Amino acid sequence: MSKLTINSTLRMNSGYQIPMLGYGVYQTPANICEDVVRKAFEAGYRHVDSAAVYRNEEPSAAAIKRSSIPRSQIFFTSKVPPRGLSYARAAAQIDASLKLTGLEYIDLMLLHAPYGGREARKGAWKALVEAQEAGKVRNIGVSNYGAQHLDEMEVYIKELEKERGGEGKGGKIDVGQWEIHPWLPRRDIVEWCEKRGVVVQAYCPIVRGRKMDDPILQQLMQKHGKTGAQILIRWSLQKGFVPLPKSVTPSRIVENADVYDFELDAEDMKVLEINAYEPCAWDPTVAGLEE
């Protein structure tokens, strides 16, 4: 990978670029969301990760529209709610998000979780594919899908190609989003994505601050003179992921973007290869195909 900067991007299967550093607004109250997103823009972020269930799509978009940064340089994500997946509900949600935000297009629309059963997932995915073809969304993907859900997707993408009349008509996964950090590396999912050119986004990249006393992390903090959050965000970037750190504290918003003046060496990366399963958030990846 070339030298990382705050302007670094990755190319998706769609051909579009995604900024590697994202700003998450999970649980950010709507009444402060516009202000903190604007602060994130001032700190150099150009990527905002929202969702319908966060109830802050509108203020996130307000910050985008009121910014002096050209719309084409800002990447906005939303997600179809995880419960009650279906073709009709996914299609309706995309239109609702466009109307609520007032944006001409959404850069990335994800299915928030794999619940609902096979037909629900296939129908919701078809709605995303059609929205992408119509220019309503530029990139599409999934969030919190386990390897079993991803394998299933490949089957119904092929089915959709036959049903809709040709190669490519079943869509391609541009992005997948998961909780990923050294204590939850999800190697099987990451390998699956890498083989297919799917960009991997990492939410909870700083483990909600729960590992700051970990001896491994403390050692790296001392070595580099950086905070634990900065070490973990840098780890994610060097793994080729798109980390989505979240903070409403202005100083930490700036701090989390200040990760381009140092580099973790091969030894550092090796000690962070922790073979663990320690999620700090929910984990729908373990759900069965009928859930």
Side-chain angles (χ1 to χ4, degrees):
M1 184 178 289
S2 59
K3 182 176 171 60
L4 291 167
T5 72
I6 200 163
N7 298 314
S8 292
T9 62
L10 294 172
R11 187 181 185 276
M12 293 170 284
N13 282 325
S14 63
Y16 285 104
Q17 300 286 326
I18 183 170
M20 281 188 78
L21 181 64
Y23 177 66
V25 293
Y26 170 65
Q27 288 189 335
T28 299
N31 64 331
I32 66 166
C33 189
E34 180 181 347
D35 186 47
V36 296
V37 171
R38 289 172 75 173
K39 284 182 169 61
F41 291 158
E42 290 168 10
Y45 298 79
R46 294 295 182 267
H47 176 173
V48 183
D49 181 79
S50 184
V53 297
Y54 299 173
R55 300 184 183 278
N56 56 24
E57 293 171 293
E58 188 174 13
S60 296
I64 293 170
K65 290 185 288 186
R66 290 173 185 162
S67 169
S68 60
I69 304 163
R71 171 68 182 97
S72 61
Q73 294 179 22
I74 298 176
F75 193 95
F76 177 72
T77 299
S78 192
K79 308 178 189 80
V80 176
R83 297 294 180 184
L85 276 187
S86 70
Y87 171 81
R89 286 179 178 171
Q93 183 59 58
I94 292 163
D95 289 340
S97 292
L98 283 168
K99 184 176 180 181
L100 185 65
T101 60
L103 298 174
E104 290 184 12
Y105 61 89
I106 291 170
D107 292 276
L108 173 64
M109 200 76 179
L110 302 174
L111 301 180
H112 207 146
Y115 298 126
R118 186 183 194 279
E119 290 310 307
R121 287 188 290 271
K122 180 180 175 181
W125 178 253
K126 180 183 176 184
L128 260 61
V129 173
E130 290 180 355
Q132 186 179 38
E133 290 172 349
K136 295 178 179 180
V137 300
R138 290 191 166 178
N139 308 280
I140 56 178
V142 295
S143 180
N144 298 303
Y145 272 44
Q148 69 278 19
H149 303 111
L150 295 170
D151 287 340
E152 176 198 72
M153 265 196 97
E154 291 206 307
V155 175
Y156 61 64
I157 284 174
K158 285 187 170 58
E159 291 173 358
L160 284 170
E161 285 184 337
K162 291 180 181 177
E163 292 164 17
R164 302 187 69 238
E167 189 176 344
K169 287 292 187 177
K172 280 188 177 181
I173 308 171
D174 297 310
V175 173
Q177 184 181 120
W178 293 272
E179 178 188 343
I180 295 182
H181 45 72
W183 296 270
L184 189 60
R186 301 198 189 279
R187 290 172 185 150
D188 58 337
I189 290 172
V190 169
E191 184 179 338
W192 194 99
C193 291
E194 287 175 345
K195 284 180 178 176
R196 295 158 178 83
V198 176
V199 170
V200 174
Q201 291 184 326
Y203 70 79
C204 295
I206 60 176
V207 207
R208 294 181 172 169
R210 295 177 187 176
K211 294 290 186 179
M212 296 307 158
D213 294 328
D214 185 281
I216 293 172
L217 196 54
Q218 285 284 325
Q219 176 189 344
L220 293 175
M221 289 161 65
Q222 288 186 328
K223 177 178 176 179
H224 293 283
K226 288 290 184 176
T227 67
Q230 289 170 326
I231 297 291
L232 291 173
I233 291 166
R234 182 74 199 190
W235 174 86
S236 196
L237 290 166
Q238 287 184 213
K239 292 289 281 186
F241 304 152
V242 175
L244 305 169
K246 179 249 171 168
S247 178
V248 297
T249 306
S251 61
R252 285 186 179 161
I253 291 171
V254 172
E255 175 190 299
N256 290 342
D258 183 20
V259 294
Y260 299 99
D261 59 350
F262 78 107
E263 186 172 344
L264 298 174
D265 61 31
E267 185 181 336
D268 299 335
M269 295 297 284
K270 187 175 181 179
V271 298
L272 286 170
E273 287 293 322
I274 302 165
N275 188 21
Y277 174 78
E278 299 180 30
C280 66
W282 66 332
D283 190 13
T285 69
V286 299
L289 294 176
E290 299 310 313
E291 291 184 48

